Structure formats: structure tokens, C-alpha cells
Amino acid sequence: MMVRQYSEPLYWKIRRIVLNHEDADDVLQNVFMKVWSHLDDFKGGSSLSTWLFRIAINEALDFLRKNKNNVGISDNGNLLVVDRLMADEYFDGDETQAKLQAAIATLPEKQRVVFNMKYFDDMKYSEISKVLGTSEGALKASYHLAVGKITEYLKIHN
């Protein structure tokens, strides 16, 4: 029942971090394996969804740390993230969306996660605070910095 209810929202949280469909599927599978093996650790101090989102985000960030070559600049100067997105058969966006994702990929981890949760998931700062364990003020600052960096990136790369 938990897998049925949370697979899609967790998938999209993960996908916005790792960007690639196959990678997101792998991370999602790891999330549910971790949840299953640590189900006894859930004490109910937060909602189940908050606990699951925290695990999913941490797993996605761990995946990126282990696969740093997924985001970067290729030998010819192009962003690898754009190349990977445009080659992903499950990516249904256009070049503008790929550029936005490339801009997001240049952000530091925390800013990237906060931006994705606020911009794409339309989460309130209070919800993000529970998931990430960070103050709302710090989240607002991270989001503001992320928006500024994305805006600057898009100005330069358009």
C-alpha cells in the first residue's frame, strides 16, 4: 500500500534531483528497500510522507555524490546534464526546460533541493523545513540565492 501511494511523488522528487529516468528508478528502488529495512525505526515523530521524502532526498543526493560525472562539462564545453536530458527517451521537455535543468544542476545541493521542492512541488517552507530539518529562514535564503543563480545562468546561456 505504501509503495502504491508514494511511488509517484517520491519518483518525481528523486527525478528532479538526479534528472535521468533510469537513475530515478534505481534510487526509488533503493529508497523502498531502505524504508522496508528501517520500518521499525519510524517512531511517528513526523508524518510518514516527511520521513519518506527525507530518505528519498538523501538517497538521491548520495547517488549524485557517487556519480559526480553525471553533471559537469564535457570535452567540447557542453553541459553533460543537457546532453543526458535530451538523450533521455523519457524526457518530454524542450530545450528551454533542459536549460533550466542545467541551471538547476549548477546549484549547490541544498539550494537545488530547496528550489525543486518550492518551485516544482509548490511546498510551503514549513513543510520543507520538516523534510530537511532546516529553519524556514535558512530555506528562504537558499531559495532566493538559487533563483538569483538560475536567473544569471539563463541570461548567460541564452
Side-chain angles (χ1 to χ4, degrees):
M1 190 166 91
M2 184 184 340
V3 172
R4 232 183 350 261
Q5 183 175 354
Y6 290 103
S7 284
E8 188 172 344
L10 289 173
Y11 169 84
W12 284 109
K13 285 230 187 297
I14 294 165
R15 175 78 186 264
R16 288 187 186 104
I17 295 171
V18 302
L19 300 177
N20 180 277
H21 169 71
E22 284 82 14
D23 294 342
D25 270 351
D26 290 345
V27 172
L28 181 62
Q29 184 176 6
N30 291 343
V31 167
F32 281 118
M33 289 179 0
K34 184 171 263 187
V35 165
W36 181 254
S37 65
H38 295 301
L39 206 48
D40 292 341
D41 296 341
F42 179 67
K43 304 294 184 213
S46 62
S47 70
L48 179 63
S49 62
T50 299
W51 186 64
L52 292 171
F53 290 148
R54 183 176 297 141
I55 292 171
I57 289 166
N58 287 332
E59 285 294 307
L61 293 174
D62 286 346
F63 174 84
L64 286 182
R65 286 183 204 113
K66 291 175 188 169
N67 298 286
K68 286 186 179 189
N69 61 341
N70 289 341
V71 177
I73 298 178
S74 64
D75 294 337
N76 63 5
N78 293 329
L79 281 170
L80 292 175
V81 69
V82 174
D83 295 340
R84 288 190 55 171
L85 274 175
M86 296 308 274
D88 185 343
E89 65 184 274
Y90 296 99
F91 178 67
D92 61 357
D94 59 15
E95 189 175 335
T96 302
Q97 289 172 324
K99 284 182 183 178
L100 173 61
Q101 290 301 325
I104 293 168
T106 65
L107 297 172
E109 282 179 8
K110 184 148 192 150
Q111 289 176 15
R112 184 178 339 142
V113 170
V114 171
F115 181 83
N116 282 333
M117 294 173 87
K118 183 71 178 150
Y119 182 80
F120 290 111
D121 300 330
D122 197 29
M123 290 178 72
K124 295 176 180 166
Y125 288 113
S126 59
E127 295 172 299
I128 300 170
S129 176
K130 289 177 186 170
V131 171
L132 299 180
T134 306
S135 74
E136 290 183 38
L139 294 172
K140 289 176 183 178
S142 290
Y143 183 77
H144 178 73
L145 288 170
V147 169
K149 289 176 183 178
I150 291 169
T151 302
E152 191 61 33
Y153 178 94
L154 293 175
K155 284 180 188 175
I156 293 170
H157 292 90
N158 263 342

